[in-house]
Amino acid sequence: MPQEDKISIVVATDNHYAILLSALLKSIEVNHKTSEKIDVYVIDDGISPSSKKKLQSQVNPAMTSLYWFKTNDVIPPDVKMPVDKSAFPLTTYLRLFAPYIIPRDVKKVIYLDVDMLVLTDISKLWHTDLNGNLFGAVPDLAEIFASEWGGVQNYKELGFAPDTKYFNAGMMVIDAFKWREEDITNKVIKSIHDNLSSANFPDQYGLNITLANKWHVLDRGWNSFAVLDRKDPYIIHFLDIKPIFKSYNCNKDYQDEFYKYLRLTPWKNHKPVSDFRRLSRKAFNKAKKLVKGFLSR
């Protein structure tokens, strides 16, 4: 099948969240009704062989193909990644390389965080017109750069207007050609290095200040945050505590929806687990960054 008749999606995960990717993949397949085949490019940041085998076994090969890329093969050796002080895993930076791991003749790519469910046909998002923009995204909960709790803390120093729109980077429809031509990945990484003390949501911060006003605003249904209880979302994004934890505190119907899809996968017997795993992972992420920062000096 010609590449233009396929939908290209990039995701990135470590082994801890392979279970989330499982539900995401199943939700995409169940709700895909058109004839396009789906190519999913998985950036593997430490997925175990057993988890990888489960993920591979669950997809319908007539509809979906999985392509695997190790983190070390995705990040060029001469690129120095930022070491921020947040508890976000280093995996979060891997979205910046999405346009580079797809075939060079693929004009467009959808990046999805793994803590999502797709509840409508992904082809509708794929065929969205970007109106000549570099990419399409949905406004974040912070909405604007001047948000008191999110946004861009140093927007004044950077010369941005306070009402500059601020997007969530969990879902992006990217013009891959333009992204590579404009060397966006390196520009974003540099902007984070230059403003590390203000990078509260590191990769998202860097994307927003680098690409301010260069994005197409998509319908909010394409990145509907679980904290908002939106009716009939196209994509649910579990921004906060994930539905695999007992402490999940967002829309219960969304959690039920997650387990509806998970029950169709090799993780079908999973039940919500205690917060110990979630909190220990945050501590691990911070410790890993401290070590990386020390070794990079």
Side-chain angles (χ1 to χ4, degrees):
M1 175 177 286
Q3 197 67 53
E4 61 266 22
D5 295 330
K6 297 180 179 180
I7 296 171
S8 298
I9 300 171
V10 171
V11 295
T13 188
D14 56 16
N15 193 59
H16 185 81
Y17 278 166
I19 186 173
L20 299 183
L21 176 57
S22 178
L24 170 61
L25 291 173
K26 185 55 65 177
S27 71
I28 292 171
E29 280 197 344
V30 167
N31 295 299
H32 182 50
K33 308 302 181 186
T34 53
S35 61
E36 297 112 323
K37 297 294 188 287
I38 301 172
D39 286 343
V40 180
Y41 301 85
V42 183
I43 304 178
D44 169 7
D45 194 28
I47 303 174
S48 70
S50 61
S51 293
K52 186 175 177 179
K53 185 177 180 180
K54 288 179 182 178
L55 290 165
Q56 191 68 61
S57 71
Q58 76 169 63
V59 299
N60 174 4
M63 180 187 297
T64 306
S65 297
L66 298 183
Y67 300 92
W68 304 89
F69 296 83
K70 290 287 188 182
T71 296
N72 290 341
D73 296 327
V74 170
I75 302 175
D78 60 336
V79 173
K80 182 181 178 182
M81 298 303 294
V83 182
D84 63 87
K85 297 179 181 179
S86 74
F88 291 100
L90 292 169
T91 313
T92 191
Y93 287 106
L94 297 176
R95 78 189 74 224
L96 302 177
F97 300 91
Y100 291 93
I101 66 170
I102 59 175
R104 286 296 173 129
D105 60 339
V106 176
K107 298 178 180 178
K108 184 167 54 176
V109 62
I110 296 173
Y111 173 82
L112 295 175
D113 276 351
V114 293
D115 58 345
M116 289 180 155
L117 290 177
V118 177
L119 304 183
T120 192
D121 195 330
I122 194 69
S123 68
K124 296 177 182 177
L125 180 60
W126 179 249
H127 291 292
T128 298
D129 188 351
L130 298 180
N131 294 320
N133 289 280
L134 185 63
F135 70 104
V138 168
D140 186 69
L141 286 168
E143 295 280 351
I144 59 173
F145 277 24
S147 170
E148 292 183 1
W149 65 270
V152 175
Q153 297 173 351
N154 62 332
Y155 72 90
K156 291 180 182 178
E157 292 87 337
L158 295 174
F160 289 111
D163 59 350
T164 302
K165 290 187 177 69
Y166 180 84
F167 63 86
N168 182 275
M171 184 286 298
M172 297 185 290
V173 184
I174 300 169
D175 183 324
F177 285 6
K178 287 186 178 181
W179 186 284
R180 293 193 296 262
E181 285 173 4
E182 298 183 27
D183 196 24
I184 298 302
T185 299
N186 282 319
K187 288 178 180 176
V188 171
I189 290 172
K190 183 180 185 305
S191 72
I192 299 170
H193 277 299
D194 291 346
N195 299 277
L196 202 55
S197 62
S198 298
N200 47 354
F201 298 94
D203 55 306
Q204 183 166 284
Y205 167 90
L207 283 161
N208 269 278
I209 65 173
T210 304
L211 302 171
N213 304 313
K214 294 183 179 180
W215 55 288
H216 177 61
V217 180
L218 297 176
D219 187 305
R220 291 172 188 261
W222 288 116
N223 191 352
S224 184
F225 313 121
V227 296
L228 296 181
D229 297 335
R230 178 188 171 109
K231 294 185 182 298
D232 302 319
Y234 309 140
I235 292 178
I236 297 172
H237 190 178
F238 296 99
L239 268 183
D240 193 17
I241 299 174
K242 312 310 175 191
I244 57 173
F245 297 111
K246 290 180 180 178
S247 56
Y248 173 81
N249 57 2
C250 294
N251 188 317
K252 183 65 168 62
D253 291 339
Y254 291 171
Q255 186 180 39
D256 292 343
E257 194 78 5
F258 172 84
Y259 275 98
K260 181 184 83 173
Y261 290 106
L262 196 66
R263 284 194 293 271
L264 302 175
T265 78
W267 279 272
K268 60 185 177 182
N269 295 320
H270 182 275
K271 292 181 173 57
V273 297
S274 74
D275 247 21
F276 174 77
R277 282 180 58 187
R278 181 176 70 88
L279 297 174
S280 61
R281 182 172 183 265
K282 280 193 170 187
F284 172 78
N285 290 338
K286 284 194 171 185
K288 186 176 180 181
K289 286 180 179 179
L290 286 173
V291 172
K292 184 176 177 65
F294 177 78
L295 294 176
S296 64
R297 290 176 182 173

